[in-house]
PDB file of all heavy atoms in Angstrom:
ATOM      1  N   ALA A 114       8.912   7.977   4.347  1.00  0.00           N
ATOM      2  CA  ALA A 114       9.834   8.009   3.190  1.00  0.00           C
ATOM      3  C   ALA A 114      10.758   9.161   3.401  1.00  0.00           C
ATOM      4  O   ALA A 114      10.475  10.296   3.887  1.00  0.00           O
ATOM      5  CB  ALA A 114       8.958   8.299   1.989  1.00  0.00           C
ATOM      6  N   LEU A 115      12.095   8.838   3.197  1.00  0.00           N
ATOM      7  CA  LEU A 115      13.174   9.840   3.506  1.00  0.00           C
ATOM      8  C   LEU A 115      13.781  10.235   2.224  1.00  0.00           C
ATOM      9  O   LEU A 115      14.339  11.313   2.242  1.00  0.00           O
ATOM     10  CB  LEU A 115      14.166   9.123   4.492  1.00  0.00           C
ATOM     11  CG  LEU A 115      13.560   8.523   5.838  1.00  0.00           C
ATOM     12  CD1 LEU A 115      14.684   7.634   6.386  1.00  0.00           C
ATOM     13  CD2 LEU A 115      13.096   9.693   6.664  1.00  0.00           C
ATOM     14  N   PHE A 116      13.924   9.429   1.309  1.00  0.00           N
ATOM     15  CA  PHE A 116      14.764   9.597   0.131  1.00  0.00           C
ATOM     16  C   PHE A 116      14.248   8.672  -1.084  1.00  0.00           C
ATOM     17  O   PHE A 116      13.791   7.488  -0.844  1.00  0.00           O
ATOM     18  CB  PHE A 116      16.140   9.094   0.446  1.00  0.00           C
ATOM     19  CG  PHE A 116      17.186   9.073  -0.483  1.00  0.00           C
ATOM     20  CD1 PHE A 116      18.086  10.171  -0.819  1.00  0.00           C
ATOM     21  CD2 PHE A 116      17.314   7.798  -1.353  1.00  0.00           C
ATOM     22  CE1 PHE A 116      19.118  10.000  -1.774  1.00  0.00           C
ATOM     23  CE2 PHE A 116      18.322   7.908  -2.299  1.00  0.00           C
ATOM     24  CZ  PHE A 116      19.231   9.021  -2.560  1.00  0.00           C
ATOM     25  N   ARG A 117      14.254   9.168  -2.205  1.00  0.00           N
ATOM     26  CA  ARG A 117      13.792   8.377  -3.431  1.00  0.00           C
ATOM     27  C   ARG A 117      14.789   8.843  -4.640  1.00  0.00           C
ATOM     28  O   ARG A 117      15.280   9.991  -4.529  1.00  0.00           O
ATOM     29  CB  ARG A 117      12.466   8.711  -3.776  1.00  0.00           C
ATOM     30  CG  ARG A 117      11.347   8.131  -3.033  1.00  0.00           C
ATOM     31  CD  ARG A 117      10.032   8.185  -3.592  1.00  0.00           C
ATOM     32  NE  ARG A 117       9.010   7.784  -2.625  1.00  0.00           N
ATOM     33  CZ  ARG A 117       8.122   8.459  -2.007  1.00  0.00           C
ATOM     34  NH1 ARG A 117       8.133   9.841  -2.225  1.00  0.00           N
ATOM     35  NH2 ARG A 117       7.299   7.965  -1.106  1.00  0.00           N
ATOM     36  N   GLY A 118      15.101   7.956  -5.395  1.00  0.00           N
ATOM     37  CA  GLY A 118      15.958   8.303  -6.441  1.00  0.00           C
ATOM     38  C   GLY A 118      16.316   7.179  -7.426  1.00  0.00           C
ATOM     39  O   GLY A 118      15.731   6.014  -7.308  1.00  0.00           O
ATOM     40  N   ARG A 119      16.907   7.636  -8.559  1.00  0.00           N
ATOM     41  CA  ARG A 119      17.245   6.662  -9.631  1.00  0.00           C
ATOM     42  C   ARG A 119      18.809   6.981 -10.001  1.00  0.00           C
ATOM     43  O   ARG A 119      19.211   8.146  -9.951  1.00  0.00           O
ATOM     44  CB  ARG A 119      16.398   6.905 -10.785  1.00  0.00           C
ATOM     45  CG  ARG A 119      14.999   6.526 -10.635  1.00  0.00           C
ATOM     46  CD  ARG A 119      14.020   7.010 -11.523  1.00  0.00           C
ATOM     47  NE  ARG A 119      14.054   6.555 -12.856  1.00  0.00           N
ATOM     48  CZ  ARG A 119      13.317   5.383 -13.123  1.00  0.00           C
ATOM     49  NH1 ARG A 119      12.614   4.758 -12.344  1.00  0.00           N
ATOM     50  NH2 ARG A 119      13.506   4.848 -14.374  1.00  0.00           N
ATOM     51  N   THR A 120      19.429   5.914 -10.237  1.00  0.00           N
ATOM     52  CA  THR A 120      20.789   6.098 -10.847  1.00  0.00           C
ATOM     53  C   THR A 120      20.859   5.393 -12.129  1.00  0.00           C
ATOM     54  O   THR A 120      20.395   4.293 -12.229  1.00  0.00           O
ATOM     55  CB  THR A 120      21.764   5.499  -9.849  1.00  0.00           C
ATOM     56  OG1 THR A 120      21.807   6.267  -8.615  1.00  0.00           O
ATOM     57  CG2 THR A 120      23.308   5.511 -10.457  1.00  0.00           C
ATOM     58  N   LYS A 121      21.329   6.232 -13.131  1.00  0.00           N
ATOM     59  CA  LYS A 121      21.518   5.573 -14.541  1.00  0.00           C
ATOM     60  C   LYS A 121      22.905   5.030 -14.681  1.00  0.00           C
ATOM     61  O   LYS A 121      23.944   5.801 -14.299  1.00  0.00           O
ATOM     62  CB  LYS A 121      21.030   6.581 -15.584  1.00  0.00           C
ATOM     63  CG  LYS A 121      19.694   6.933 -15.533  1.00  0.00           C
ATOM     64  CD  LYS A 121      19.332   8.056 -16.616  1.00  0.00           C
ATOM     65  CE  LYS A 121      17.939   8.341 -16.443  1.00  0.00           C
ATOM     66  NZ  LYS A 121      17.476   9.237 -17.483  1.00  0.00           N
ATOM     67  N   PHE A 122      23.098   3.870 -15.026  1.00  0.00           N
ATOM     68  CA  PHE A 122      24.411   3.282 -15.172  1.00  0.00           C
ATOM     69  C   PHE A 122      24.584   2.936 -16.884  1.00  0.00           C
ATOM     70  O   PHE A 122      23.729   2.704 -17.531  1.00  0.00           O
ATOM     71  CB  PHE A 122      24.516   1.938 -14.481  1.00  0.00           C
ATOM     72  CG  PHE A 122      24.448   2.060 -13.028  1.00  0.00           C
ATOM     73  CD1 PHE A 122      23.260   2.029 -12.348  1.00  0.00           C
ATOM     74  CD2 PHE A 122      25.685   2.153 -12.377  1.00  0.00           C
ATOM     75  CE1 PHE A 122      23.218   2.154 -10.870  1.00  0.00           C
ATOM     76  CE2 PHE A 122      25.767   2.243 -11.023  1.00  0.00           C
ATOM     77  CZ  PHE A 122      24.465   2.164 -10.138  1.00  0.00           C
ATOM     78  N   VAL A 123      25.809   2.922 -17.111  1.00  0.00           N
ATOM     79  CA  VAL A 123      26.300   2.373 -18.502  1.00  0.00           C
ATOM     80  C   VAL A 123      27.388   1.348 -18.292  1.00  0.00           C
ATOM     81  O   VAL A 123      28.014   1.264 -17.257  1.00  0.00           O
ATOM     82  CB  VAL A 123      26.880   3.578 -19.438  1.00  0.00           C
ATOM     83  CG1 VAL A 123      25.667   4.529 -19.712  1.00  0.00           C
ATOM     84  CG2 VAL A 123      28.024   4.205 -18.769  1.00  0.00           C
ATOM     85  N   THR A 124      27.333   0.440 -19.203  1.00  0.00           N
ATOM     86  CA  THR A 124      28.336  -0.682 -19.117  1.00  0.00           C
ATOM     87  C   THR A 124      29.607  -0.176 -19.940  1.00  0.00           C
ATOM     88  O   THR A 124      29.395   0.396 -21.002  1.00  0.00           O
ATOM     89  CB  THR A 124      27.801  -1.993 -19.564  1.00  0.00           C
ATOM     90  OG1 THR A 124      27.269  -1.712 -20.976  1.00  0.00           O
ATOM     91  CG2 THR A 124      26.812  -2.470 -18.592  1.00  0.00           C
ATOM     92  N   ILE A 125      30.730  -0.517 -19.355  1.00  0.00           N
ATOM     93  CA  ILE A 125      31.934  -0.209 -19.932  1.00  0.00           C
ATOM     94  C   ILE A 125      32.905  -1.353 -20.082  1.00  0.00           C
ATOM     95  O   ILE A 125      32.771  -2.261 -19.187  1.00  0.00           O
ATOM     96  CB  ILE A 125      32.636   1.037 -19.316  1.00  0.00           C
ATOM     97  CG1 ILE A 125      33.067   0.620 -17.854  1.00  0.00           C
ATOM     98  CG2 ILE A 125      31.935   2.296 -19.267  1.00  0.00           C
ATOM     99  CD1 ILE A 125      34.092   1.506 -17.247  1.00  0.00           C
TER     100      ILE A 125
END
Side-chain angles (χ1 to χ4, degrees):
L115 307 167
F116 174 96
R117 288 190 185 108
R119 294 164 71 86
T120 297
K121 296 180 181 187
F122 292 89
V123 294
T124 51
I125 61 162

